């Protein structure tokens, strides 16, 4: 893309996603988080976006990352909050509070897993939710978000 400024997008990864590619590949795939982020950065360029990627195992750091992204000028976020999806009012309030449009993504189909994973505290505020496609969930989420942001 040329002639247009890059849209800034935050990609937020929650707890334990730093283990991607090292454990439980049958559920979460074999790509490492570093590889996944590198592919997303390339894909982002092709849709006129630049990314800030953040992974943390700590709830407060994820909240801080949302606030920082808003200050950086992020127009939206792709969020896999991992286990905090199901528990974190703080992260929900942060995303709603800064008014950042976001797509919730999951590697696995959480609805085919344990009941405690069926509830998301974030989804109500999300532009959309994509799950079950492994690393492609992030790629599809990024595409959908970029298209949503260009149109709005
Ligand atoms: O499917 C997803 O993307 C999840 O957000 C992953 C979370 C889980 O708590 C959610 O219910 C669904 C768990 C992330 C753990 O990541 C690991 C990666 C590799 C090895 C072990 C854990």
């Amino acid at each position: 893309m040329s002639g247009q400024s890059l849209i800034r997008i935050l990609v937020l990864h929650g707890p334990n996603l730093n283990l991607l590619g090292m454990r439980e590949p049958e559920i979460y795939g074999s790509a490492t988080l570093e590889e996944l982020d590198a592919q997303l950065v390339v894909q982002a360029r092709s849709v006129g976006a630049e990314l800030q990627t953040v992974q943390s195992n700590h709830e407060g750091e994820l909240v801080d990352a949302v606030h920082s992204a808003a200050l950086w000028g992020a127009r939206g976020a792709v969020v896999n909050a991992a286990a905090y999806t199901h528990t974190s009012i703080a992260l929900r309030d942060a995303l709603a509070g800064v008014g950042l449009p976001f797509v919730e993504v999951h590697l696995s189909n959480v609805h085919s897993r344990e009941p405690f994973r069926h509830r998301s505290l974030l989804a109500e505020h999300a532009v959309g939710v994509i799950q079950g496609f492994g690393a492609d969930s992030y790629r599809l989420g990024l595409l959908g978000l970029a298209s949503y942001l260009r149109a709005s």
Side-chain angles (χ1 to χ4, degrees):
M1 279 210 167
S2 62
Q4 275 179 307
S5 59
L6 294 173
I7 292 179
R8 294 180 168 181
I9 291 176
L10 168 69
V11 177
L12 195 61
H13 308 282
N16 297 305
L17 288 165
N18 55 309
L19 298 176
L20 271 184
M22 302 172 201
R23 305 258 197 286
E24 301 188 73
E26 66 289 353
I27 304 177
Y28 298 118
S30 54
T32 65
L33 188 65
E34 202 179 4
E35 289 164 348
L36 194 158
D37 279 345
Q39 288 169 5
L40 283 178
V41 165
V42 171
Q43 188 198 7
R45 284 282 162 166
S46 75
V47 295
E50 68 177 313
L51 302 184
Q52 187 173 79
T53 63
V54 176
Q55 189 277 330
S56 178
N57 295 325
H58 306 280
E59 188 175 17
E61 286 183 7
L62 294 167
V63 169
D64 287 344
V66 170
H67 296 175
S68 300
L71 292 173
W72 174 59
R75 299 256 322 275
V78 174
V79 178
N80 184 354
Y84 287 138
T85 305
H86 318 298
T87 63
S88 180
I89 297 171
L91 193 53
R92 171 193 167 107
D93 286 349
L95 287 161
V98 300
L100 209 56
F102 70 96
V103 175
E104 176 180 329
V105 301
H106 298 286
L107 296 154
S108 63
N109 174 1
V110 292
H111 292 288
S112 68
R113 303 183 64 191
E114 305 94 324
F116 64 82
R117 297 186 200 277
H118 297 181
R119 182 184 73 151
S120 166
L121 295 186
L122 310 183
E124 190 184 338
H125 292 292
V127 171
V129 180
I130 299 179
Q131 59 183 295
F133 296 102
D136 280 343
S137 293
Y138 284 88
R139 292 190 263 274
L140 293 166
L142 179 57
L143 277 184
L145 180 66
S147 158
Y148 172 89
L149 293 173
R150 288 268 176 232
S152 58

